[in-house]
Amino acid sequence: MVVFGTRIPPVFSLLIWIALWEIVGQLDLAFILPPFSSVMQELVLLIQRNDFQAAAWLTFQSFVIGMTISIVFGVSIGFIMGTSKIANGVLGMWVNIFASAPLSSLVPILMLLFGLGQTTIVVTVVLFSTWIIALDTYAGVRHISPSLVEMGRSFGASRFQMLTKILFWAALPEILAGVRMGLIRAVKGIVIGQLLVSVVALGRLFRTFSDNFQFEQFWALTVTLFIFALLFSSAIGWLEQRVEYYAKARI
Amino acid sequence: MSVSAAQDNSPKAATDDIVEVRNITKYYSPDVHALSNVNLSFPRGQMTTLLGPSGCGKTTLLKIIAGLLEPTEGDVLVNGKQVHGTGPERAFVFQDFALLPWATVLRNVAFGMELTKQDKREREDRARHYINEVGLAGFENKYPHELSGGMRQRVGLARALAVNSDVLLMDEPFSAVDEQTRRKFQEDLLALLANENKTVIFVTHSIEEAVYVSDQIVMLSPRPGRIHSIIRPEFSRDADPDEIRRDKNYLDTVEAIWADLRKYLD
């Protein structure tokens, strides 16, 4: 962002919003919006609470397990769709439907199927993120230059070598883009899922805070989740940048 | 045919033929007839060019010889044995280079040997030798996007040489390279091949390039591709490159081929 010829770092706009939040909060206009400073104070207290730590750990665990499953499934489905016309015909429609469907409505059903524990959270993450990873992987595989494939064949690559030494790397930029999108969706999934279920992990804390009008705590929890999502997304973004150079260099 | 250079229309020359194609016909679909009944022999240790206007099926023929495409009918023989698919006795140089963008020059050149699971030390030593041969010493750890088009194709050439195939198949290798680089590359290629004892099958649409580099030129006619004529340019290759490009026989051959091919342009 450039204002009057001076470069302003992107953090600045965040600071403005925080200042605005503080002012509105101090004015005591709405009881649901306490000042930012008291939210921060509450955040410091919150992250020391045992119930928060247990809930956050459980959520984080489910998130990592769910993302791992999503990446394995999503990338495999994408590769199968990208390399086989028949598979694309069979799977393509479903993957597209799931990628665009309002999946939140399925969460209560998952709860019935998988109970009120970690399994439901993991399944929610998988359900939210797999499809976009599959779609992006598919796009990446379709994007691979045919002459790279011919090169592999002419130098005698086995099917396994073709996959692990050529196709995977050639599609990697799109795969990572898909993983990042999947990650963002998974955060959404985990929040929505836990809110709807609201008897496990962070969902229960959210429920408790909002039911008891503890808005400092409620916002502190929300900010924590935001930071968490941002960190994950930037980590993948950093990885993406490392492969960006050859995404551009591809012919 | 009215070409001043000597003609050789007999498919069975006295020399030893390393590659033969017999009755090759290729349909991409019932309507797209790419090649029609092509018979050709490629003498061992010589450079044969497939020349013709676009759409004459020269790249199709090269890819059939490489085993990358299946002919609809006909056989490909290498060292007298019928082959199906690709094989280690044939190495391909691609028009768009087909380098791995995520791998260094060294790994790209060694990639053919990596696929055949050769020892890492050995294959990298060999790769370094050929990187040196194609004039890229010092670029071993660069990535393809850091190189110019001409340099990328040198990587592609080094990769094909490093696998030690008898036959080198080159698909318009210089078409993505600018004219000055191209001339230099042609000269370097001839100098390099003089010590390598390779059989080269070379596809181009440039008449000058074909005459300059080839022992034998196969002219193909378009749609469907069939053999129009075979020419063996006759001028001394001992002279330096600039002299050759001014040589009367060289210029006459270029002119005769142009006169012959221009009728396809109407």
Side-chain angles (χ1 to χ4, degrees):
Chain A
M1 193 167 61
V2 179
V3 177
F4 299 121
T6 321
R7 257 197 73 81
I8 295 167
V11 188
F12 192 74
S13 92
L14 195 66
L15 290 178
I16 291 179
W17 282 109
I18 288 173
L20 209 65
W21 180 351
E22 181 69 27
I23 293 164
V24 173
Q26 292 290 357
L27 289 175
D28 226 355
L29 291 176
F31 74 98
I32 61 156
L33 197 69
F36 186 74
S37 51
S38 38
V39 170
M40 283 297 112
Q41 274 168 17
E42 204 49 57
L43 195 147
V44 174
L45 293 177
L46 179 75
I47 56 177
Q48 290 166 4
R49 281 169 61 160
N50 283 335
D51 58 348
F52 169 79
Q53 283 174 3
W57 177 239
L58 184 65
T59 307
F60 179 77
Q61 247 184 355
S62 324
F63 186 78
V64 171
I65 298 170
M67 272 315 285
T68 311
I69 297 172
S70 291
I71 292 170
V72 171
F73 268 125
V75 171
S76 312
I77 293 172
F79 261 101
I80 294 167
M81 276 166 58
T83 47
S84 149
K85 271 213 173 96
I86 301 168
N88 188 30
V90 175
L91 292 170
M93 188 181 72
W94 291 106
V95 170
N96 273 296
I97 287 177
F98 276 118
S100 51
L103 293 168
S104 328
S105 54
L106 290 179
V107 174
I109 297 170
L110 295 181
M111 199 174 65
L112 286 178
L113 281 174
F114 299 104
L116 298 176
Q118 204 182 7
T119 320
T120 304
I121 309 175
V122 171
V123 174
T124 312
V125 170
V126 173
L127 196 65
F128 269 73
S129 61
T130 304
W131 320 109
I132 190 72
I133 298 176
L135 282 182
D136 272 28
T137 304
Y138 168 75
V141 173
R142 304 296 301 172
H143 209 99
I144 295 172
S145 141
S147 75
L148 269 189
V149 178
E150 285 188 333
M151 189 277 287
R153 285 176 57 205
S154 78
F155 287 103
S158 65
R159 283 179 78 95
F160 182 71
Q161 284 176 324
M162 186 74 95
L163 202 63
T164 54
K165 286 183 185 287
I166 299 177
L167 299 182
F168 175 76
W169 296 97
L172 190 60
E174 281 86 356
I175 293 176
L176 282 181
V179 169
R180 191 151 73 121
M181 302 279 289
L183 206 93
I184 293 164
R185 288 183 172 211
V187 171
K188 260 202 278 189
I190 214 162
V191 173
I192 294 171
Q194 293 195 2
L195 281 180
L196 285 176
V197 179
S198 74
V199 284
V200 280
L202 292 180
R204 185 163 54 189
L205 278 180
F206 263 120
R207 187 57 168 267
T208 317
F209 294 154
S210 63
D211 282 356
N212 297 318
F213 303 105
Q214 295 170 293
F215 285 106
E216 277 94 352
Q217 282 94 334
F218 177 85
W219 283 109
L221 192 56
T222 309
V223 170
T224 316
L225 267 174
F226 274 26
I227 294 171
F228 170 77
L230 206 68
L231 283 179
F232 254 99
S233 173
S234 339
I236 303 284
W238 176 80
L239 257 183
E240 263 188 276
Q241 255 174 11
R242 294 206 50 181
V243 297
E244 184 102 330
Y245 70 87
Y246 77 72
K248 278 185 200 145
R250 288 185 301 189
I251 311 158
Chain B
M1 208 182 80
S2 55
V3 176
S4 61
Q7 299 174 16
D8 180 9
N9 282 330
S10 61
K12 284 278 172 196
T15 43
D16 167 25
D17 296 325
I18 186 164
V19 177
E20 270 180 83
V21 298
R22 289 190 186 154
N23 309 315
I24 294 280
T25 294
K26 175 74 182 172
Y27 284 93
Y28 281 109
S29 69
D31 309 328
V32 186
H33 193 180
L35 290 169
S36 173
N37 200 24
V38 173
N39 287 284
L40 268 176
S41 311
F42 299 89
R44 191 181 296 276
Q46 295 200 358
M47 182 120 161
T48 302
T49 298
L50 306 176
L51 177 70
S54 37
C56 71
K58 51 194 189 301
T59 293
T60 303
L61 180 58
L62 192 74
K63 286 190 174 169
I64 287 172
I65 294 170
L68 292 170
L69 283 176
E70 277 291 314
T72 312
E73 273 169 44
D75 305 312
V76 177
L77 288 83
V78 178
N79 286 319
K81 287 200 195 77
Q82 195 174 337
V83 290
H84 294 286
T86 59
E89 67 290 334
R90 286 157 289 155
F92 207 96
V93 177
F94 292 84
Q95 184 175 9
D96 61 0
F97 324 131
L99 303 179
L100 308 174
W102 55 88
T104 60
V105 167
L106 184 64
R107 187 168 170 222
N108 264 297
V109 173
F111 191 67
M113 295 177 281
E114 184 180 330
L115 291 176
T116 52
K117 301 194 175 79
Q118 276 192 42
D119 175 67
K120 192 173 160 101
R121 268 279 278 289
E122 241 169 70
R123 71 181 188 235
E124 290 192 344
D125 283 347
R126 208 175 149 75
R128 281 203 177 83
H129 169 74
Y130 281 101
I131 289 170
N132 213 16
E133 288 285 291
V134 299
L136 284 180
F139 290 90
E140 288 86 351
N141 295 315
K142 298 276 184 207
Y143 287 86
H145 73 279
E146 300 173 291
L147 307 178
S148 69
M151 289 159 94
R152 288 184 202 178
Q153 193 54 294
R154 284 170 192 266
V155 177
L157 178 63
R159 177 178 60 195
L161 288 170
V163 293
N164 204 20
S165 305
D166 297 326
V167 184
L168 216 52
L169 306 166
M170 305 179 83
D171 182 16
E172 302 199 24
F174 307 141
S175 65
V177 170
D178 64 69
E179 181 62 28
Q180 296 88 2
T181 314
R182 187 175 179 142
R183 284 199 169 196
K184 179 80 174 82
F185 206 154
Q186 291 164 1
E187 289 163 16
D188 290 354
L189 178 67
L190 289 182
L192 188 58
L193 292 174
N195 311 318
E196 286 284 340
N197 192 31
K198 301 272 183 199
T199 306
V200 181
I201 306 176
F202 191 99
V203 163
T204 184
H205 55 249
S206 160
I207 299 171
E208 284 87 354
E209 183 165 282
V211 178
Y212 183 71
V213 300
S214 318
D215 300 301
Q216 169 177 273
I217 300 171
V218 177
M219 283 161 66
L220 296 169
S221 65
R223 285 184 201 91
R226 47 169 72 89
I227 295 171
H228 174 74
S229 57
I230 298 173
I231 299 163
R232 302 186 70 86
E234 294 199 334
F235 52 84
S236 165
R237 292 180 182 280
D238 302 330
D240 78 82
D242 292 323
E243 261 174 64
I244 292 177
R245 290 190 210 273
R246 282 196 299 269
D247 185 279
K248 186 172 181 314
N249 277 331
Y250 166 81
L251 292 171
D252 285 352
T253 312
V254 170
E255 217 34 61
I257 293 174
W258 168 232
D260 215 15
L261 284 180
R262 78 185 304 163
K263 65 171 173 277
Y264 294 125
L265 298 176
D266 302 326

